[in-house]
Amino acid sequence: MIVSSLLPMEGSVDPDEYMVGPGDFFTVVVGSVEGSAAPIPVSADGRLPLPEAGSVDISGMTLAEARSTALEALRGAFGQIPVDVTLSQPRQFYVHVSGAVPVPGRVLSLPVGRVSTAIEMAFSDTTRAPVTNPKYRPSLRNVSVVHRDGSESRLDLMRYYSAGQVSQNPYLLDGDVIFVPGYDPDFESVYIDGAVPFPGGYDARPDDNVQSLLQAAGLYEAPILPMTVRVLSKVHGTKRNLQLAEALGEVGASIRISPNDHLSVTRGRPPGGTATIEGMVPHPGTYSIEEGQTTLIELLGYAGGLREEAHATAAFLERRALPD
């Protein structure tokens, strides 16, 4: 698979996040003339050759650090002549995807590619099952990324897919190994239902809490209407009710969730109600009312009163009880 250097990007790269590596191309400008006929690549050992200034080691640096190092070397060589160094083309590199995916193996990527991009490529063949045991499913809330320096990140991609939390979907680095574990929903699921955008069963995480599960289900902010979260723990045999604002804050973050636990989010009844007025009024439609307090005359006032041709004695009031 070939990744074009013109791959659409999310925007300008962040110099403080972009990690420079072998294969990145830089353009060096001295005065008003480019310092080389073509962009200069970073060598395999992480060094950037500079005209008249030798080469500088920029391996393991962010783009901001690498640019600062190169500019310092160039200013030492050219004195007061204006110089500039820019990243002209990001490099390409391989990452590895394994585990519960239909097509494990190497995936070509760019430094601006994210973990989800590599996983989506590994799921591109829809004719294959991600796991051979039909009882198991891919655990997208427990994706492991091992970097070349030995550090490891455990990502909850559902918090990215449901609410766009990009911290759970970071940029890829050279040689990253992405592992998607499989899980058995009958034994390793936590459940959430009720007034959430994405109810259902979710693969449990070792660090799961009420807040993280609500976020995975798409709830990040408490709405105006009061909402209650019931936390039922089968493991500990406990039941607890929280206000949604508490559940999304420090209280929810302190309550651990275990496999087979259940969260239910209920919405309070909205204040008042609504009534619809139709017919010979200037502004027919549905209006908010205070149940048991708003009168028919007040409702007529909301609608602009009766029109001149209205037959007032023929008006009627219809009350409906759902679902009848």
Side-chain angles (χ1 to χ4, degrees), residues 157-186:
L157 281 181
M158 290 308 300
R159 290 163 68 178
Y160 167 73
Y161 288 130
S162 64
Q165 190 172 351
V166 293
S167 63
Q168 297 296 320
N169 187 24
Y171 292 119
L172 293 165
L173 300 176
D174 309 48
D176 278 351
V177 178
I178 303 169
F179 175 69
V180 182
Y183 79 103
D184 188 338
D186 292 338

Side-chain angles (χ1 to χ4, degrees), residues 258-270:
S258 302
N260 290 319
D261 284 358
H262 185 276
L263 269 64
S264 181
V265 182
T266 57
R267 180 185 289 115
R269 183 174 180 179

Side-chain angles (χ1 to χ4, degrees), residues 15 17-28 40-50 53-74 85-89 91 173-174:
E17 288 191 18
Y18 186 99
M19 300 300 295
V20 175
D24 279 329
F25 281 82
F26 284 84
T27 298
V28 178
I40 305 172
V42 178
S43 65
D45 59 353
R47 302 188 69 86
L48 177 64
L50 298 172
S55 62
V56 292
D57 185 0
I58 58 175
S59 60
M61 292 185 180
T62 64
L63 177 57
E65 294 169 339
R67 188 170 181 271
S68 176
T69 300
L71 287 174
E72 183 179 355
L74 287 169
V85 177
T86 59
L87 176 69
S88 55
Q89 181 176 321
R91 66 192 182 281
L173 300 176
D174 309 48

Side-chain angles (χ1 to χ4, degrees), residues 192-213:
I192 183 168
D193 61 21
V196 294
F198 305 103
Y202 288 82
D203 38 319
R205 285 173 54 92
D207 59 349
D208 249 343
N209 54 60
V210 171
Q211 180 194 67
S212 65
L213 186 56

Side-chain angles (χ1 to χ4, degrees), residues 273-289:
T274 61
T276 301
I277 184 169
E278 301 174 344
M280 303 303 288
V281 293
H283 308 290
T286 300
Y287 294 87
S288 296
I289 62 170

